[in-house]
Amino acid sequence: MIGLRDFSIKNKLVLMQVLTCVLVLGLCFAAFVITDINGYKGRKVASTISFAQVIGSNSISAIQFLDNEAAEKTLFDLQEVETDVVNASIVDSRGKIFAAYTRPNQTTHVFKPPFRNRHWFDDQYLYVYKNIVDQQGQIFGTVCLQVELSQLEAIKKQKFEIAFVLLFVGIALAFLIAYLNQRYISAPILNLVNVMKQIRENSDYSRHVDVIGKDEISILSSEFNNLMDEVANSHRKKDEFIGIASHELKTPLTSVKLYLDALSKMKHEPLVHTFILKSKDGVKKLHNLILDLLDVSKIESGQLQLNHKDLSIDDLIDECIQDAQMNIVNHTILREGTKCDKIIHGDRDRLEQVLINLLSNAAKYSPNGTSIAVKTVTSDNDITVSVTDSGIGIAGSEHKKIFGRFYRAKDSNSVISGFGLGLYICSQIIKRHKGKIGVDSQEGKGSTFYFTLPLNGEQKLS
Amino acid sequence: MRIKQFIFIFLTSILVLSNYAFQVRQPQGQEYNLKAAFLYRFLDYVEWNNNSSWNNTTEDPLRIAILGESGLYGPLMEISRDKKAGTRTIRVRQINSVSEIGSSQVIFVSRNYKYGIDAVLNRMLDKPALIISEQKGDVEKGSHINFLIADNKLKFEVNLKTAARSGIKIGSQLLQHATLIKK
């Protein structure tokens, strides 16, 4: 069952207005119909009583002289005036029927005592008893009438029809007005939601919601804008800090690296040499991490410069495999499929950085001794480069997150180090090449990372 | 209280039933009861000539004379005790001769009156008195209203011509119940 909570505010607003309208109109129409029906009944009673009065005064002499025929003629003649009469009787003062009339093809009704002035309704008929009284106030008998409420059904039907049509029109109008009105409330909310979504997806905290008017939603929007300003501010501060910190760290580290390089070229005892090499290794890792941080800082501040040139994809892949294989000793990197022989326009160093990153990730997350395959697939407009490993794989729910900043695989053990910035930098580089980056993977069944770049020089400098 | 009510209802029903039985066994009495009631009601629909001293609105009692022995006397006396004709009290007399009629406004000629309607008509010619009879053929002779029994019912005939000659107007509501109207 759908609860009220599952309705959108828009639908709730419309529903609320329509329900209010139905309720108010319903009550009005009920009052209108009831008043009308009661009015009809009242008029009918009044007219029937006067009718009975006329019959009564016309029958006094007939009762006095025991002239049943004259009384019956009176009944018969007068029913032509009041066609709704089904049964009519004149009862004498002792309660005996003196004259009776039944409309043709109708069942005879036997009027029951007490014969005093009264009237009542049943489902179909109105019953009226009216005493026949002369000028001296003597009661001669009673006129009893059973009158069909022929128009009641027609009146009911007509009133219900009018009420129904008006109710329908009312609901339609209410719906229309509610639908037009709700836009003033739900549209700004939906707009706010849209902006939030975009901010979440693009991490673009500088986006603002348009604030129109001074209602609660405007206050909410403007508070949201303020909040986003705060968030953007703190992000900027953080990025500035990362930029400054990594820059400040890089400078002394570069000199350390240079000195270590120089030291390693000198003659040393084997143990010292080993220590120097270990130090160099450590410094290299540190240097790479700082370079990553610097890249992120550049990307965030929009200062990542690309140096676009024409380059051969095959050459790029071959060189990367060669370079990577030097560092990756426990895995075999294979170029699978045919060479594509395509030239693209891009920043060679950055694309190399992407491919090397993908290759080293593949090595990092797959068991030793397995192979890593690099493959290209070309289509009319673009070329896709994929790197496939037979490693631990990535759960489907994580696919989108892994290209975010500081993302670390959940099961990552302490052996696998890094800031979790590699794929983020890769995705930003590919994005700036107007390409796409993605992953196909299942947990435990290896992963295929791929990126697609546009061909034929359609790509422009970004 | 309950017992009293019960006794009252019981006695009333016995009275009603015995009255009914009495009427059944005594058709004669039933006939004159009805005739008395009819006669009394005729008074409502009959107008005496305006210029006569017998006008309906005077304070004088309305006098009814019953000519000859008749079962009408009893019931009519009873009515005259309780009721009035308009504002006038009713006085009923039993007479045996036309000479006793005097200034009676209504004369009922019993079928037991041996000289019949003719004697009355001769005497009352053009005088403003309502003449009511109960013998077949009397209305043709000149009686204003004549009782008759047809289909086991009490009915009456009217002679408008002689009534008009006597200065008596008979209302149309009365006429509509008459079996014969002579004009």
Side-chain angles (χ1 to χ4, degrees), chain A residues 57-71 74 94 96 134 136 138 140, chain B residues 23 34 37-42 44-45 83 86 151 153-156 173-174 176-178:
Chain A
S57 31
N58 276 306
S59 309
I60 290 179
S61 62
I63 294 173
Q64 282 176 337
F65 300 113
L66 306 177
D67 193 345
N68 309 58
E69 287 141 38
T74 306
R94 287 171 302 166
K96 277 169 75 180
D134 71 358
Q136 282 78 44
Q138 193 193 342
F140 285 92
Chain B
Q23 281 175 4
L34 272 179
F38 272 40
L39 196 150
Y40 168 66
R41 280 158 190 166
F42 289 159
D44 283 343
Y45 301 100
K83 292 174 178 172
D151 303 335
K153 276 185 174 176
L154 180 64
K155 309 229 165 154
F156 59 90
Q173 272 191 299
L174 183 60
Q176 76 184 37
H177 305 294

mmCIF file of all heavy atoms in Angstrom, chain A residues 57-71 74 94 96 134 136 138 140, chain B residues 23 34 37-42 44-45 83 86 151 153-156 173-174 176-178:
data_model
loop_
_atom_site.group_PDB
_atom_site.id
_atom_site.type_symbol
_atom_site.label_atom_id
_atom_site.label_comp_id
_atom_site.label_asym_id
_atom_site.label_seq_id
_atom_site.Cartn_x
_atom_site.Cartn_y
_atom_site.Cartn_z
ATOM 1 N N SER A 57 -64.636 20.030 2.581
ATOM 2 C CA SER A 57 -65.779 20.942 2.628
ATOM 3 C C SER A 57 -66.784 20.632 1.527
ATOM 4 O O SER A 57 -67.959 20.904 1.681
ATOM 5 C CB SER A 57 -65.323 22.408 2.572
ATOM 6 O OG SER A 57 -64.163 22.525 1.830
ATOM 7 N N ASN A 58 -66.305 20.027 0.443
ATOM 8 C CA ASN A 58 -67.247 19.653 -0.604
ATOM 9 C C ASN A 58 -68.024 18.382 -0.266
ATOM 10 O O ASN A 58 -68.951 18.026 -0.978
ATOM 11 C CB ASN A 58 -66.511 19.442 -1.919
ATOM 12 C CG ASN A 58 -66.302 20.755 -2.636
ATOM 13 O OD1 ASN A 58 -67.245 21.497 -2.883
ATOM 14 N ND2 ASN A 58 -65.054 21.069 -2.918
ATOM 15 N N SER A 59 -67.563 17.675 0.761
ATOM 16 C CA SER A 59 -68.211 16.402 1.068
ATOM 17 C C SER A 59 -69.112 16.460 2.285
ATOM 18 O O SER A 59 -69.748 15.480 2.632
ATOM 19 C CB SER A 59 -67.137 15.328 1.302
ATOM 20 O OG SER A 59 -66.228 15.328 0.249
ATOM 21 N N ILE A 60 -69.130 17.632 2.955
ATOM 22 C CA ILE A 60 -69.928 17.713 4.191
ATOM 23 C C ILE A 60 -71.384 17.313 3.930
ATOM 24 O O ILE A 60 -71.939 16.436 4.601
ATOM 25 C CB ILE A 60 -69.874 19.140 4.780
ATOM 26 C CG1 ILE A 60 -68.462 19.413 5.321
ATOM 27 C CG2 ILE A 60 -70.889 19.294 5.908
ATOM 28 C CD1 ILE A 60 -68.285 20.784 5.909
ATOM 29 N N SER A 61 -71.989 17.915 2.904
ATOM 30 C CA SER A 61 -73.416 17.627 2.656
ATOM 31 C C SER A 61 -73.601 16.175 2.258
ATOM 32 O O SER A 61 -74.579 15.541 2.660
ATOM 33 C CB SER A 61 -73.959 18.571 1.593
ATOM 34 O OG SER A 61 -73.257 18.361 0.389
ATOM 35 N N ALA A 62 -72.633 15.624 1.500
ATOM 36 C CA ALA A 62 -72.746 14.224 1.096
ATOM 37 C C ALA A 62 -72.744 13.322 2.318
ATOM 38 O O ALA A 62 -73.526 12.364 2.400
ATOM 39 C CB ALA A 62 -71.600 13.854 0.168
ATOM 40 N N ILE A 63 -71.906 13.648 3.301
ATOM 41 C CA ILE A 63 -71.866 12.834 4.518
ATOM 42 C C ILE A 63 -73.181 13.023 5.301
ATOM 43 O O ILE A 63 -73.774 12.065 5.798
ATOM 44 C CB ILE A 63 -70.648 13.216 5.395
ATOM 45 C CG1 ILE A 63 -69.356 12.845 4.671
ATOM 46 C CG2 ILE A 63 -70.702 12.504 6.740
ATOM 47 C CD1 ILE A 63 -68.106 13.328 5.380
ATOM 48 N N GLN A 64 -73.611 14.267 5.330
ATOM 49 C CA GLN A 64 -74.847 14.544 6.077
ATOM 50 C C GLN A 64 -76.023 13.754 5.527
ATOM 51 O O GLN A 64 -76.834 13.219 6.279
ATOM 52 C CB GLN A 64 -75.163 16.042 5.994
ATOM 53 C CG GLN A 64 -74.316 16.866 6.934
ATOM 54 C CD GLN A 64 -74.579 18.350 6.764
ATOM 55 O OE1 GLN A 64 -75.044 18.802 5.718
ATOM 56 N NE2 GLN A 64 -74.302 19.104 7.806
ATOM 57 N N PHE A 65 -76.081 13.666 4.203
ATOM 58 C CA PHE A 65 -77.217 12.986 3.608
ATOM 59 C C PHE A 65 -76.869 11.585 3.115
ATOM 60 O O PHE A 65 -77.544 11.036 2.254
ATOM 61 C CB PHE A 65 -77.804 13.857 2.488
ATOM 62 C CG PHE A 65 -78.262 15.179 3.001
ATOM 63 C CD1 PHE A 65 -77.626 16.358 2.638
ATOM 64 C CD2 PHE A 65 -79.318 15.246 3.904
ATOM 65 C CE1 PHE A 65 -78.040 17.568 3.141
ATOM 66 C CE2 PHE A 65 -79.722 16.470 4.407
ATOM 67 C CZ PHE A 65 -79.091 17.635 4.039
ATOM 68 N N LEU A 66 -75.773 11.052 3.664
ATOM 69 C CA LEU A 66 -75.354 9.664 3.401
ATOM 70 C C LEU A 66 -75.266 9.360 1.905
ATOM 71 O O LEU A 66 -75.628 8.291 1.447
ATOM 72 C CB LEU A 66 -76.331 8.683 4.067
ATOM 73 C CG LEU A 66 -76.548 8.902 5.560
ATOM 74 C CD1 LEU A 66 -77.570 7.927 6.079
ATOM 75 C CD2 LEU A 66 -75.255 8.758 6.316
ATOM 76 N N ASP A 67 -74.809 10.350 1.152
ATOM 77 C CA ASP A 67 -74.791 10.213 -0.299
ATOM 78 C C ASP A 67 -73.391 9.781 -0.755
ATOM 79 O O ASP A 67 -72.555 10.605 -1.123
ATOM 80 C CB ASP A 67 -75.180 11.551 -0.935
ATOM 81 C CG ASP A 67 -75.496 11.403 -2.398
ATOM 82 O OD1 ASP A 67 -75.150 10.353 -2.974
ATOM 83 O OD2 ASP A 67 -76.089 12.337 -2.961
ATOM 84 N N ASN A 68 -73.126 8.469 -0.701
ATOM 85 C CA ASN A 68 -71.798 7.957 -1.046
ATOM 86 C C ASN A 68 -71.409 8.309 -2.469
ATOM 87 O O ASN A 68 -70.264 8.666 -2.749
ATOM 88 C CB ASN A 68 -71.742 6.428 -0.952
ATOM 89 C CG ASN A 68 -72.271 5.939 0.353
ATOM 90 O OD1 ASN A 68 -73.412 6.215 0.676
ATOM 91 N ND2 ASN A 68 -71.438 5.231 1.100
ATOM 92 N N GLU A 69 -72.398 8.220 -3.370
ATOM 93 C CA GLU A 69 -72.073 8.441 -4.782
ATOM 94 C C GLU A 69 -71.550 9.848 -5.007
ATOM 95 O O GLU A 69 -70.575 10.059 -5.738
ATOM 96 C CB GLU A 69 -73.311 8.189 -5.645
ATOM 97 C CG GLU A 69 -73.637 6.713 -5.741
ATOM 98 C CD GLU A 69 -75.128 6.443 -5.688
ATOM 99 O OE1 GLU A 69 -75.898 7.235 -6.267
ATOM 100 O OE2 GLU A 69 -75.502 5.449 -5.052
ATOM 101 N N ALA A 70 -72.253 10.802 -4.355
ATOM 102 C CA ALA A 70 -71.814 12.189 -4.509
ATOM 103 C C ALA A 70 -70.398 12.354 -3.981
ATOM 104 O O ALA A 70 -69.552 13.020 -4.601
ATOM 105 C CB ALA A 70 -72.759 13.127 -3.778
ATOM 106 N N ALA A 71 -70.107 11.699 -2.837
ATOM 107 C CA ALA A 71 -68.766 11.817 -2.250
ATOM 108 C C ALA A 71 -67.721 11.183 -3.163
ATOM 109 O O ALA A 71 -66.638 11.742 -3.377
ATOM 110 C CB ALA A 71 -68.741 11.138 -0.880
ATOM 111 N N THR A 74 -67.066 13.411 -5.985
ATOM 112 C CA THR A 74 -66.173 14.496 -5.557
ATOM 113 C C THR A 74 -64.718 14.043 -5.602
ATOM 114 O O THR A 74 -63.843 14.722 -6.144
ATOM 115 C CB THR A 74 -66.510 14.917 -4.108
ATOM 116 O OG1 THR A 74 -67.883 15.225 -4.046
ATOM 117 C CG2 THR A 74 -65.674 16.101 -3.688
ATOM 118 N N ARG A 94 -67.422 7.844 12.547
ATOM 119 C CA ARG A 94 -67.250 6.601 13.321
ATOM 120 C C ARG A 94 -66.085 5.768 12.805
ATOM 121 O O ARG A 94 -65.839 4.663 13.275
ATOM 122 C CB ARG A 94 -68.542 5.789 13.257
ATOM 123 C CG ARG A 94 -69.669 6.393 14.095
ATOM 124 C CD ARG A 94 -70.964 5.696 13.845
ATOM 125 N NE ARG A 94 -71.336 5.756 12.424
ATOM 126 C CZ ARG A 94 -72.277 5.003 11.860
ATOM 127 N NH1 ARG A 94 -72.918 4.106 12.579
ATOM 128 N NH2 ARG A 94 -72.558 5.123 10.580
ATOM 129 N N LYS A 96 -65.796 4.632 9.692
ATOM 130 C CA LYS A 96 -66.151 3.734 8.588
ATOM 131 C C LYS A 96 -65.930 4.433 7.258
ATOM 132 O O LYS A 96 -66.144 5.642 7.121
ATOM 133 C CB LYS A 96 -67.629 3.309 8.714
ATOM 134 C CG LYS A 96 -67.802 2.139 9.673
ATOM 135 C CD LYS A 96 -69.245 1.914 9.998
ATOM 136 C CE LYS A 96 -69.999 1.247 8.844
ATOM 137 N NZ LYS A 96 -71.426 1.042 9.214
ATOM 138 N N ASP A 134 -67.263 21.399 10.031
ATOM 139 C CA ASP A 134 -68.131 22.476 9.521
ATOM 140 C C ASP A 134 -67.841 23.747 10.305
ATOM 141 O O ASP A 134 -66.946 23.791 11.148
ATOM 142 C CB ASP A 134 -69.601 22.059 9.575
ATOM 143 C CG ASP A 134 -70.111 21.999 10.994
ATOM 144 O OD1 ASP A 134 -69.309 22.247 11.931
ATOM 145 O OD2 ASP A 134 -71.293 21.699 11.192
ATOM 146 N N GLN A 136 -69.326 25.203 12.569
ATOM 147 C CA GLN A 136 -69.533 25.146 14.020
ATOM 148 C C GLN A 136 -68.453 24.312 14.708
ATOM 149 O O GLN A 136 -68.454 24.171 15.920
ATOM 150 C CB GLN A 136 -70.905 24.542 14.345
ATOM 151 C CG GLN A 136 -72.063 25.499 14.170
ATOM 152 C CD GLN A 136 -72.457 25.664 12.716
ATOM 153 O OE1 GLN A 136 -72.534 24.678 11.996
ATOM 154 N NE2 GLN A 136 -72.648 26.900 12.275
ATOM 155 N N GLN A 138 -67.974 21.092 14.168
ATOM 156 C CA GLN A 138 -68.344 19.686 14.331
ATOM 157 C C GLN A 138 -67.585 18.830 13.340
ATOM 158 O O GLN A 138 -67.448 19.188 12.164
ATOM 159 C CB GLN A 138 -69.855 19.515 14.113
ATOM 160 C CG GLN A 138 -70.334 18.158 14.568
ATOM 161 C CD GLN A 138 -71.743 17.862 14.061
ATOM 162 O OE1 GLN A 138 -72.461 18.771 13.658
ATOM 163 N NE2 GLN A 138 -72.119 16.601 14.098
ATOM 164 N N PHE A 140 -67.216 15.820 10.959
ATOM 165 C CA PHE A 140 -68.090 14.906 10.222
ATOM 166 C C PHE A 140 -67.358 13.636 9.784
ATOM 167 O O PHE A 140 -67.959 12.624 9.524
ATOM 168 C CB PHE A 140 -68.635 15.594 8.967
ATOM 169 C CG PHE A 140 -69.695 16.591 9.275
ATOM 170 C CD1 PHE A 140 -69.374 17.913 9.490
ATOM 171 C CD2 PHE A 140 -71.017 16.196 9.378
ATOM 172 C CE1 PHE A 140 -70.343 18.834 9.786
ATOM 173 C CE2 PHE A 140 -71.987 17.114 9.676
ATOM 174 C CZ PHE A 140 -71.666 18.446 9.887
ATOM 175 N N GLN B 23 -80.833 -1.209 16.653
ATOM 176 C CA GLN B 23 -81.136 -0.614 15.349
ATOM 177 C C GLN B 23 -81.493 -1.693 14.343
ATOM 178 O O GLN B 23 -82.410 -1.536 13.547
ATOM 179 C CB GLN B 23 -79.910 0.162 14.832
ATOM 180 C CG GLN B 23 -79.793 1.506 15.492
ATOM 181 C CD GLN B 23 -78.530 2.231 15.089
ATOM 182 O OE1 GLN B 23 -77.794 1.740 14.249
ATOM 183 N NE2 GLN B 23 -78.296 3.363 15.698
ATOM 184 N N LEU B 34 -82.717 8.565 11.201
ATOM 185 C CA LEU B 34 -82.114 9.157 10.023
ATOM 186 C C LEU B 34 -82.936 10.330 9.510
ATOM 187 O O LEU B 34 -82.393 11.367 9.157
ATOM 188 C CB LEU B 34 -81.994 8.106 8.911
ATOM 189 C CG LEU B 34 -80.719 7.267 8.924
ATOM 190 C CD1 LEU B 34 -80.759 6.256 7.777
ATOM 191 C CD2 LEU B 34 -79.483 8.151 8.790
ATOM 192 N N ALA B 37 -82.296 13.256 11.573
ATOM 193 C CA ALA B 37 -80.969 13.837 11.287
ATOM 194 C C ALA B 37 -80.998 14.604 9.976
ATOM 195 O O ALA B 37 -80.478 15.720 9.879
ATOM 196 C CB ALA B 37 -79.918 12.728 11.217
ATOM 197 N N PHE B 38 -81.626 14.005 8.954
ATOM 198 C CA PHE B 38 -81.725 14.679 7.653
ATOM 199 C C PHE B 38 -82.481 15.998 7.798
ATOM 200 O O PHE B 38 -82.034 17.037 7.315
ATOM 201 C CB PHE B 38 -82.466 13.780 6.644
ATOM 202 C CG PHE B 38 -81.563 12.832 5.900
ATOM 203 C CD1 PHE B 38 -80.528 12.195 6.551
ATOM 204 C CD2 PHE B 38 -81.759 12.586 4.541
ATOM 205 C CE1 PHE B 38 -79.698 11.312 5.853
ATOM 206 C CE2 PHE B 38 -80.934 11.726 3.838
ATOM 207 C CZ PHE B 38 -79.901 11.079 4.499
ATOM 208 N N LEU B 39 -83.628 15.900 8.486
ATOM 209 C CA LEU B 39 -84.476 17.078 8.624
ATOM 210 C C LEU B 39 -83.713 18.209 9.304
ATOM 211 O O LEU B 39 -83.760 19.354 8.885
ATOM 212 C CB LEU B 39 -85.734 16.706 9.427
ATOM 213 C CG LEU B 39 -86.883 17.703 9.350
ATOM 214 C CD1 LEU B 39 -88.215 16.960 9.516
ATOM 215 C CD2 LEU B 39 -86.799 18.815 10.377
ATOM 216 N N TYR B 40 -82.991 17.830 10.332
ATOM 217 C CA TYR B 40 -82.208 18.836 11.053
ATOM 218 C C TYR B 40 -81.187 19.486 10.122
ATOM 219 O O TYR B 40 -80.961 20.684 10.140
ATOM 220 C CB TYR B 40 -81.508 18.187 12.251
ATOM 221 C CG TYR B 40 -80.480 19.065 12.876
ATOM 222 C CD1 TYR B 40 -80.862 20.257 13.526
ATOM 223 C CD2 TYR B 40 -79.122 18.760 12.806
ATOM 224 C CE1 TYR B 40 -79.909 21.082 14.086
ATOM 225 C CE2 TYR B 40 -78.171 19.575 13.369
ATOM 226 C CZ TYR B 40 -78.576 20.737 14.007
ATOM 227 O OH TYR B 40 -77.640 21.558 14.550
ATOM 228 N N ARG B 41 -80.555 18.638 9.285
ATOM 229 C CA ARG B 41 -79.527 19.184 8.401
ATOM 230 C C ARG B 41 -80.113 20.004 7.256
ATOM 231 O O ARG B 41 -79.450 20.902 6.746
ATOM 232 C CB ARG B 41 -78.662 18.056 7.842
ATOM 233 C CG ARG B 41 -77.629 17.613 8.868
ATOM 234 C CD ARG B 41 -77.130 16.254 8.611
ATOM 235 N NE ARG B 41 -76.335 15.784 9.746
ATOM 236 C CZ ARG B 41 -75.989 14.512 9.913
ATOM 237 N NH1 ARG B 41 -76.409 13.610 9.040
ATOM 238 N NH2 ARG B 41 -75.281 14.169 10.947
ATOM 239 N N PHE B 42 -81.385 19.674 6.859
ATOM 240 C CA PHE B 42 -82.021 20.494 5.819
ATOM 241 C C PHE B 42 -82.006 21.967 6.228
ATOM 242 O O PHE B 42 -81.868 22.853 5.398
ATOM 243 C CB PHE B 42 -83.489 20.074 5.612
ATOM 244 C CG PHE B 42 -83.661 18.735 4.932
ATOM 245 C CD1 PHE B 42 -84.854 18.021 5.057
ATOM 246 C CD2 PHE B 42 -82.648 18.205 4.143
ATOM 247 C CE1 PHE B 42 -85.027 16.801 4.429
ATOM 248 C CE2 PHE B 42 -82.837 16.975 3.519
ATOM 249 C CZ PHE B 42 -84.012 16.270 3.657
ATOM 250 N N ASP B 44 -79.897 23.745 7.525
ATOM 251 C CA ASP B 44 -78.671 24.476 7.145
ATOM 252 C C ASP B 44 -78.732 24.980 5.706
ATOM 253 O O ASP B 44 -78.043 25.929 5.354
ATOM 254 C CB ASP B 44 -77.445 23.548 7.262
ATOM 255 C CG ASP B 44 -77.037 23.370 8.711
ATOM 256 O OD1 ASP B 44 -77.472 24.179 9.541
ATOM 257 O OD2 ASP B 44 -76.277 22.406 8.985
ATOM 258 N N TYR B 45 -79.449 24.253 4.872
ATOM 259 C CA TYR B 45 -79.402 24.555 3.446
ATOM 260 C C TYR B 45 -80.667 25.266 2.944
ATOM 261 O O TYR B 45 -80.791 25.501 1.761
ATOM 262 C CB TYR B 45 -79.196 23.251 2.647
ATOM 263 C CG TYR B 45 -77.918 22.544 3.051
ATOM 264 C CD1 TYR B 45 -77.934 21.477 3.923
ATOM 265 C CD2 TYR B 45 -76.696 22.991 2.540
ATOM 266 C CE1 TYR B 45 -76.784 20.844 4.302
ATOM 267 C CE2 TYR B 45 -75.519 22.365 2.924
ATOM 268 C CZ TYR B 45 -75.567 21.279 3.806
ATOM 269 O OH TYR B 45 -74.415 20.675 4.175
ATOM 270 N N LYS B 83 -79.101 20.744 20.093
ATOM 271 C CA LYS B 83 -78.561 21.546 19.001
ATOM 272 C C LYS B 83 -79.419 22.723 18.649
ATOM 273 O O LYS B 83 -80.577 22.822 19.045
ATOM 274 C CB LYS B 83 -78.375 20.649 17.778
ATOM 275 C CG LYS B 83 -77.274 19.627 18.011
ATOM 276 C CD LYS B 83 -77.171 18.645 16.889
ATOM 277 C CE LYS B 83 -76.023 17.690 17.148
ATOM 278 N NZ LYS B 83 -75.999 16.598 16.180
ATOM 279 N N GLY B 86 -78.469 27.237 13.408
ATOM 280 C CA GLY B 86 -77.750 28.518 13.399
ATOM 281 C C GLY B 86 -77.704 29.041 14.819
ATOM 282 O O GLY B 86 -77.170 28.400 15.705
ATOM 283 N N ASP B 151 -83.256 1.371 -2.598
ATOM 284 C CA ASP B 151 -82.018 0.574 -2.424
ATOM 285 C C ASP B 151 -81.655 0.483 -0.947
ATOM 286 O O ASP B 151 -80.481 0.530 -0.584
ATOM 287 C CB ASP B 151 -80.831 1.192 -3.177
ATOM 288 C CG ASP B 151 -81.135 1.338 -4.645
ATOM 289 O OD1 ASP B 151 -81.991 0.567 -5.130
ATOM 290 O OD2 ASP B 151 -80.529 2.213 -5.286
ATOM 291 N N LYS B 153 -81.881 2.626 1.193
ATOM 292 C CA LYS B 153 -81.288 3.864 1.679
ATOM 293 C C LYS B 153 -82.354 4.944 1.762
ATOM 294 O O LYS B 153 -83.299 4.943 0.965
ATOM 295 C CB LYS B 153 -80.208 4.339 0.707
ATOM 296 C CG LYS B 153 -78.859 3.694 0.907
ATOM 297 C CD LYS B 153 -77.875 4.337 -0.042
ATOM 298 C CE LYS B 153 -76.466 3.838 0.192
ATOM 299 N NZ LYS B 153 -75.578 4.401 -0.808
ATOM 300 N N LEU B 154 -82.110 5.840 2.729
ATOM 301 C CA LEU B 154 -83.049 6.958 2.838
ATOM 302 C C LEU B 154 -82.659 8.025 1.826
ATOM 303 O O LEU B 154 -81.518 8.480 1.795
ATOM 304 C CB LEU B 154 -82.999 7.536 4.257
ATOM 305 C CG LEU B 154 -83.943 8.711 4.497
ATOM 306 C CD1 LEU B 154 -85.407 8.295 4.352
ATOM 307 C CD2 LEU B 154 -83.696 9.335 5.858
ATOM 308 N N LYS B 155 -83.620 8.415 0.982
ATOM 309 C CA LYS B 155 -83.342 9.453 -0.010
ATOM 310 C C LYS B 155 -84.433 10.498 0.062
ATOM 311 O O LYS B 155 -85.400 10.343 0.813
ATOM 312 C CB LYS B 155 -83.299 8.835 -1.408
ATOM 313 C CG LYS B 155 -82.376 7.631 -1.483
ATOM 314 C CD LYS B 155 -81.448 7.717 -2.653
ATOM 315 C CE LYS B 155 -80.320 6.715 -2.462
ATOM 316 N NZ LYS B 155 -79.746 6.287 -3.712
ATOM 317 N N PHE B 156 -84.304 11.541 -0.751
ATOM 318 C CA PHE B 156 -85.344 12.567 -0.747
ATOM 319 C C PHE B 156 -85.487 13.217 -2.104
ATOM 320 O O PHE B 156 -84.556 13.225 -2.906
ATOM 321 C CB PHE B 156 -85.097 13.607 0.346
ATOM 322 C CG PHE B 156 -83.779 14.316 0.209
ATOM 323 C CD1 PHE B 156 -83.678 15.486 -0.541
ATOM 324 C CD2 PHE B 156 -82.644 13.821 0.831
ATOM 325 C CE1 PHE B 156 -82.479 16.141 -0.669
ATOM 326 C CE2 PHE B 156 -81.431 14.479 0.700
ATOM 327 C CZ PHE B 156 -81.344 15.631 -0.047
ATOM 328 N N GLN B 173 -76.252 22.695 -2.591
ATOM 329 C CA GLN B 173 -75.555 21.557 -1.973
ATOM 330 C C GLN B 173 -76.531 20.481 -1.514
ATOM 331 O O GLN B 173 -76.205 19.313 -1.486
ATOM 332 C CB GLN B 173 -74.716 22.038 -0.793
ATOM 333 C CG GLN B 173 -73.327 22.464 -1.244
ATOM 334 C CD GLN B 173 -72.440 22.686 -0.048
ATOM 335 O OE1 GLN B 173 -72.726 23.534 0.770
ATOM 336 N NE2 GLN B 173 -71.375 21.911 0.037
ATOM 337 N N LEU B 174 -77.738 20.954 -1.151
ATOM 338 C CA LEU B 174 -78.771 19.995 -0.760
ATOM 339 C C LEU B 174 -79.347 19.321 -1.999
ATOM 340 O O LEU B 174 -79.523 18.100 -2.044
ATOM 341 C CB LEU B 174 -79.881 20.731 0.021
ATOM 342 C CG LEU B 174 -81.012 19.883 0.560
ATOM 343 C CD1 LEU B 174 -80.497 18.825 1.529
ATOM 344 C CD2 LEU B 174 -82.039 20.759 1.262
ATOM 345 N N GLN B 176 -77.971 18.637 -4.751
ATOM 346 C CA GLN B 176 -77.122 17.648 -5.427
ATOM 347 C C GLN B 176 -77.302 16.240 -4.852
ATOM 348 O O GLN B 176 -76.879 15.271 -5.456
ATOM 349 C CB GLN B 176 -75.658 18.088 -5.404
ATOM 350 C CG GLN B 176 -74.977 17.900 -4.078
ATOM 351 C CD GLN B 176 -73.541 18.447 -4.107
ATOM 352 O OE1 GLN B 176 -73.292 19.455 -4.722
ATOM 353 N NE2 GLN B 176 -72.641 17.785 -3.429
ATOM 354 N N HIS B 177 -77.926 16.158 -3.673
ATOM 355 C CA HIS B 177 -78.150 14.835 -3.081
ATOM 356 C C HIS B 177 -79.586 14.348 -3.270
ATOM 357 O O HIS B 177 -79.922 13.248 -2.864
ATOM 358 C CB HIS B 177 -77.803 14.857 -1.591
ATOM 359 C CG HIS B 177 -76.424 15.338 -1.337
ATOM 360 N ND1 HIS B 177 -75.314 14.637 -1.755
ATOM 361 C CD2 HIS B 177 -75.948 16.483 -0.781
ATOM 362 C CE1 HIS B 177 -74.236 15.314 -1.421
ATOM 363 N NE2 HIS B 177 -74.579 16.452 -0.843
ATOM 364 N N ALA B 178 -80.412 15.177 -3.876
ATOM 365 C CA ALA B 178 -81.815 14.785 -4.083
ATOM 366 C C ALA B 178 -81.930 13.831 -5.265
ATOM 367 O O ALA B 178 -81.202 13.967 -6.241
ATOM 368 C CB ALA B 178 -82.664 16.032 -4.329
#
